[in-house]
Amino acid sequence: MSRESSISEGGGWVQWFCAMEDHQFLCEVDDEFIRDNFNLYGLKSKFNFYNEALDLILSSETPDDEDLEDERFLEVYQEATDLYGLIHARFIITAKGLGMMKEKYLGGKFGACPRVLCERQNVLPVGMSEELRTSRVKVFCPRCEEVYIPKKKCPDVDGAYFGCSFPSIFLMNFIQEIQIPANNQTYVPRVFGFRIYKKKGSRYQDNQQKAAEITHYSEEQLKKLRGKNDQQTKEDYVQK
């Protein structure tokens, strides 16, 4: 719990939470936005301690070591982090939220594309599902239009804190201001200078099927993921 208690006072819960290690992708949502019931529509049913979690988010005080050792507080705290994350996903597609995320993007706060031919193109955070506890946050490269695991894995940042639509909305809003270089370079496998044709490992191999387009996890994919997670849990239990 040392990293949670490393920031002691000042700024309230939101500033404290966003300043934590591995939370660099998150921006600080305005109290005014959080207090507007319209912006919270549909969230209450997802949480057992909704009112307590909301009060914690709006608190001007930050948790201390004693709070972080209290089981009841930790239950509320976990719900507060998820509630804040879902509010955050709504805030970052507003004009003010997009402006804050633009500053982070231009400053390279989200990292760079790991693809060599993208030449360290800045990336944007994205979720593979709108549902909590489905997938951790990923990053989207606007140059090659592929999704990757962030270099800094952000283990407690859920993809739902950003949603599936954020990168597209961001790029649509700043299309005139942010110029993305064309993705006109493709790596071609070769052996001693000759292209590999119709062999495994070649992009020209026979019976090449069109790649499936994925913009988010479908219900079928979610079921498979949950099944894998359940199986992994059983295996871990047997090993113990």
Side-chain angles (χ1 to χ4, degrees):
M1 293 296 178
S2 58
R3 70 190 183 99
E4 281 95 342
S5 56
S6 60
I7 303 164
S8 55
E9 296 180 4
W13 189 92
V14 171
Q15 185 176 349
W16 170 83
F17 181 71
C18 292
M20 289 169 63
E21 186 182 354
D22 296 338
H23 286 188
Q24 70 273 16
F25 284 13
L26 299 170
C27 66
E28 295 179 22
V29 180
D30 292 345
D31 280 5
E32 183 180 350
F33 185 89
I34 299 172
R35 293 180 188 278
D36 188 338
N37 288 331
F38 178 78
N39 298 324
L40 310 181
Y41 180 78
L43 297 180
K44 189 171 184 178
S45 61
K46 298 178 183 289
F47 300 95
N48 296 320
F49 306 111
Y50 175 82
N51 291 325
E52 295 95 323
L54 189 59
D55 287 342
L56 180 58
I57 291 170
L58 293 170
S59 174
S60 59
E61 300 178 355
T62 58
D64 55 28
D65 290 335
E66 188 176 334
D67 290 328
L68 296 170
E69 292 174 0
D70 183 272
E71 289 187 12
R72 165 69 177 180
F73 176 85
L74 289 175
E75 284 186 294
V76 175
Y77 171 76
Q78 182 56 57
E79 293 218 342
T81 62
D82 286 340
L83 176 57
Y84 181 79
L86 295 183
I87 295 171
H88 180 271
R90 298 180 178 190
F91 176 72
I92 60 175
I93 58 174
T94 65
K96 185 168 186 178
L98 284 167
M100 294 169 72
M101 296 297 274
K102 178 187 172 186
E103 287 184 19
K104 285 179 173 284
Y105 170 80
L106 294 175
K109 299 296 184 182
F110 306 128
C113 181
R115 181 175 178 265
V116 173
L117 298 179
C118 283
E119 301 173 327
R120 298 196 59 78
Q121 168 68 46
N122 285 349
V123 294
L124 291 160
V126 66
M128 295 299 290
S129 173
E130 306 288 351
E131 297 298 321
L132 290 165
R133 288 175 288 282
T134 300
S135 173
R136 295 190 183 103
V137 64
K138 303 295 186 291
V139 290
F140 169 81
C141 174
R143 187 167 180 176
C144 65
E145 298 184 340
E146 292 289 351
V147 175
Y148 302 93
I149 296 172
K151 184 175 181 181
K152 202 165 187 178
K153 293 188 179 180
C154 308
D156 58 347
V157 179
D158 199 297
Y161 296 0
F162 299 89
C164 305
S165 304
F166 169 68
S168 299
I169 294 173
F170 180 91
L171 294 169
M172 286 168 60
N173 274 269
F174 300 118
I175 192 169
Q176 301 297 330
E177 301 172 54
I178 298 176
Q179 298 298 319
I180 308 297
N183 180 30
N184 54 13
Q185 298 182 84
T186 302
Y187 175 76
V188 178
R190 294 174 183 268
V191 174
F192 302 121
F194 296 96
R195 287 186 177 186
I196 306 171
Y197 186 66
K198 296 184 178 181
K199 299 292 182 182
K200 189 173 182 181
S202 167
R203 61 194 298 265
Y204 304 103
Q205 60 185 304
D206 275 341
N207 302 321
Q208 187 176 20
Q209 295 181 350
K210 185 178 179 181
E213 295 183 354
I214 297 177
T215 56
H216 62 281
Y217 286 143
S218 65
E219 287 298 319
E220 184 178 346
Q221 288 169 317
L222 288 175
K223 287 178 183 177
K224 288 181 180 178
L225 282 171
R226 291 185 185 115
K228 287 181 180 178
N229 290 338
D230 291 343
Q231 182 61 34
Q232 184 63 48
T233 302
K234 290 177 183 177
E235 290 175 2
D236 291 343
Y237 179 77
V238 169
Q239 289 175 3
K240 290 178 183 178

